[in-house]
Every structure is written in C-alpha cells, then in structure tokens.
Amino acid sequence: MADAVFRSGSKILLFYEPTPFNFANQRIILKNNSSLPKDTLLIYTDGACSGNPGPGGWGCVILTPDLLVTELGGKQSSTTNNRMEITAALSALCFIENQPNNVLLFTDSTYVIRGMTQWIFAWKKNNWQTSENKSVANHDLWQQIAEVVLQRKKKYSTDIEWRYVRAHVGTAGNERCDHIAVSMCHNRSYSFYQGPLDNYDLDLLSLPDFEPLPTMHKHSSPKKAYSYLTYINGVVSRYSSWTECEKHVKGKPGALFKKAQTAQDEIEIIKKWGLNPQKTPIFES
C-alpha cells in the first residue's frame, strides 16, 4: 500500500459488488444547472506515475453532504500508474468508512471502472485468476477494495456509482486530484485542504456531464511508437526506437522514460514529469 498522507488523521482501513445506483429521484440542484443526489458523498480520485513503473502518487478530493471538503494524497517509491489509480479509490473509500451515504465517485481510469463494474466478479469467482489461469494483475489491491465495498454494502446498504470523467478537460475535482498525485509522485510539498466548501478554491458542485466509457478495442499488433522520451539530469531527449532509448536510460538512477504514440502524448508526458511543455526543449537523439 502506498504511504498515505491524511490531513484528517484518519487511518487507511480495509468492496462490495456495485448495485444499480438509485436515489429515489431525490436531488439537490446546484450551480450551473448541475445536480447531485441528496445526501451523497462526492469523490474524485486520480493516480500518477513517472516511468511506469517508477515513483508514483495518488490524490483524492471528497465532498460530504454537509459541504465539507477533504483532500487526501500519498506516494510510493516504486509502483505503476494502475496501482496508484486503484489506491486513490481505495483510500477515499476507506476514509469515508463511517459515513453511511451513497457515493458518486469520479475517476479518469477506465481500468478502475471496468475492474469494479465488469471484471471483478469473474476474478473473485475464479479465485483471482484470469481466464488464462494467470494471477490477476494488482490482485492484492483489488482484493482490498473488494472487501471495503462489500463491508460498506453490508453495513449501510448504500450504493457506489463509478463515473468516468475525461482527464485534462478542466473538470475542477479531477484537475485537483491530478495536481495532488503529480505533486506526491515528484515528492513536492503540498498543503492539503480540509474545511468548508465555501472557503475552497474550486467549484466542486459543477459536475461534469455524463460520459460513457471509451470503447475497448481488441488487442492487435502494437502500433509503432511516435517517439520515446527520456528525462535525465534535467534534460528531455527524444528517441525513435526503444533500443536507442533503453541504451540511454540503462544503469542511470532516477532516469524517467515513456513511450509516446502522438505529439499530444509527448506534451502530456512532459506535464506528468512536472515540466512546462512550452518551455522545455526536447533534444533529438
């Protein structure tokens, strides 16, 4: 489990199988014509990782029905992006263990949403083995979050809706979680907020429009990479092949590297590394 940073001092605890989300049509009308079901906990989560595997971080923003905001975050020295995404959701659900409300949880991780709403039932039935009889990736975290949700369902009979939100489109809660996760990933100091929504610097009550999960495509031959980026000693370099990139990073502690499929991917990778794409030169190698 990642090291946790909880402003409230709450501990991480230890999923239930999600049931259809039903709030008996009771809704609170909020800003910008958005709405939130009455007495609902609103959660945003996100994870980040440099190198994948490499140092990682996660972040959460939680809004209670009485309009109190809590930010959470944590880090791990060697992990993957998927593990940080699961850890963010797990940590948020652990934090609200004693709050008997329905939950609306936003994440930009299709892996987390599909895992929780589609795949996990077969995994549990098959003793955390895939259909190829291989161990489910990150099964330790999936088992923990499964238990958290199951106990929550038994204790309160409340529901969790797992809602997809696209990353980097200006959704306030998602952007803040990304900022926390990246800060934790790069070991930067961050002042976690806990207090009333009125004093918070974001409008969490403007919910994003519903967006379906992107379509899963069948596995095919890997696409040729647009480029391979490295970040070593403050210098970002571009390589056309993994062989060249590997030679450059091998044996160099702290080296960051990532495959990009498009020019936009390069921009997002540089952002994830905590750099400004407009001010960061890329050296061709």
Side-chain angles (χ1 to χ4, degrees), residues 56-262:
W58 56 268
C60 312
V61 176
I62 301 169
L63 177 66
T64 62
D66 51 354
L67 302 184
L68 291 176
V69 179
T70 299
E71 294 182 339
L72 308 175
K75 60 187 177 182
Q76 198 165 41
S77 59
S78 181
T79 187
T80 65
N81 189 77
N82 280 342
R83 288 187 68 83
M84 292 293 91
E85 295 282 5
I86 303 170
T87 299
L90 171 59
S91 300
L93 294 176
C94 287
F95 182 82
I96 62 167
E97 181 209 22
N98 295 320
Q99 300 186 55
N101 305 85
N102 290 308
V103 176
L104 178 58
L105 190 152
F106 285 95
T107 173
D108 57 25
S109 172
T110 59
Y111 175 68
V112 168
I113 295 177
R114 286 198 170 96
M116 295 302 296
T117 63
Q118 299 174 18
W119 303 332
I120 202 162
F121 312 112
W123 288 343
K124 292 172 69 175
K125 194 172 182 179
N126 202 34
N127 196 28
W128 303 100
Q129 299 287 305
T130 67
S131 57
E132 291 82 25
N133 291 320
K134 296 179 181 179
S135 181
V136 171
N138 306 312
H139 62 86
D140 57 326
L141 292 177
W142 287 121
Q143 285 176 282
Q144 288 183 64
I145 199 169
E147 183 64 20
V148 169
V149 179
L150 175 63
Q151 295 305 320
R152 184 175 183 84
K153 184 64 172 178
K154 288 181 177 178
K155 187 175 181 179
Y156 301 124
S157 297
T158 53
D159 297 321
I160 298 176
E161 180 179 7
W162 300 84
R163 184 81 68 84
Y164 173 68
V165 58
R166 277 197 298 150
H168 310 300
V169 295
T171 302
N174 174 260
E175 296 291 348
R176 177 55 53 86
C177 289
D178 176 75
H179 179 67
I180 295 172
V182 172
S183 295
M184 297 294 100
C185 177
H186 293 285
N187 206 29
R188 299 181 190 135
S189 61
Y190 182 84
S191 180
F192 291 88
Y193 179 83
Q194 184 178 42
L197 179 62
D198 284 346
N199 296 334
Y200 197 47
D201 61 345
L202 299 179
D203 177 13
L204 295 179
L205 297 184
S206 292
L207 302 183
D209 293 334
F210 175 81
E211 185 160 347
L213 281 173
T215 302
M216 279 191 71
H217 299 288
K218 292 184 178 179
H219 291 293
S220 56
S221 300
K223 292 182 180 178
K224 178 178 173 57
Y226 178 81
S227 68
Y228 295 85
L229 296 185
T230 66
Y231 182 42
I232 303 174
N233 296 328
V235 177
V236 177
S237 301
R238 179 188 289 122
Y239 296 85
S240 59
S241 72
W242 167 240
T243 302
E244 294 173 345
C245 176
E246 185 180 27
K247 289 179 182 178
H248 188 62
V249 300
K250 198 169 184 179
K252 295 183 180 178
L256 303 180
F257 52 93
K258 187 80 173 175
K259 178 172 71 174
Q261 294 290 3
T262 65

